[in-house]
Amino acid sequence: MLKSKQRIIKNLLLDQSVICGLGNIYIDEILWYSQIKPTRLSHRISKNKIYLLYQNTIDILNTSIKFHGTTIMNFKFDNMKTGEYKNNLKVYGRANLPCLKCKTLIIKKKVAGRSTHYCKNCQD
């Protein structure tokens, strides 16, 4: 399905009519783990990277569920608990900090009208 579209991958993943349930934070993380630049056109992503994208989506969402989600602001639930997946974020919210893989500074820019965090060295 991704190969049949000619859209920027971040836009495509944010589109709830294509795939529902992925939010901005998780998309940045999934793309980082999959080594895909957020502005890459979906039809130009290799089948191997698409498979990584698929696997990383499942893995990240499952891990996030185990940690009760990602609380960035002040959301509280169940006796004032917050989601602890925020402690596992590798790229989101790390603008101008070194990439955890290669030490290149993480870039933050607007893509699809959303804050987007990525490593220009690790993600192509």
Side-chain angles (χ1 to χ4, degrees), residues 13-41:
L13 295 175
L14 282 167
D15 185 340
Q16 299 295 299
S17 70
V18 175
I19 183 168
C20 56
L22 293 181
N24 191 49
I25 294 170
Y26 294 119
I27 291 170
D28 281 3
E29 295 294 304
I30 291 163
L31 292 173
W32 182 80
Y33 274 99
S34 304
Q35 301 175 330
I36 300 170
K37 188 175 181 178
T39 55
R40 189 151 180 94
L41 293 175

Side-chain angles (χ1 to χ4, degrees), residues 17-104:
S17 70
V18 175
I19 183 168
C20 56
L22 293 181
N24 191 49
I25 294 170
Y26 294 119
I27 291 170
D28 281 3
E29 295 294 304
I30 291 163
L31 292 173
W32 182 80
Y33 274 99
S34 304
Q35 301 175 330
I36 300 170
K37 188 175 181 178
T39 55
R40 189 151 180 94
L41 293 175
S42 59
H43 71 287
R44 291 195 174 145
I45 299 172
S46 72
K47 288 183 181 180
N48 289 339
K49 293 265 179 135
I50 290 172
Y51 180 75
L52 277 176
L53 183 82
Y54 172 77
Q55 284 302 130
N56 287 322
T57 299
I58 293 168
D59 293 346
I60 287 169
L61 292 179
N62 281 332
T63 303
S64 176
I65 290 167
K66 288 179 190 173
F67 285 96
H68 307 288
T70 305
T71 303
I72 300 296
M73 302 296 250
N74 57 2
F75 175 78
K76 305 264 188 203
F77 71 97
D78 192 22
N79 294 323
M80 304 307 283
K81 293 180 187 173
T82 62
E84 294 299 321
Y85 188 74
K86 67 181 174 232
N87 299 324
N88 294 309
L89 297 176
K90 305 299 185 203
V91 68
Y92 185 86
R94 293 183 43 82
N96 300 313
L97 294 173
C99 173
L100 297 174
K101 286 183 190 172
C102 74
K103 307 302 180 210
T104 301

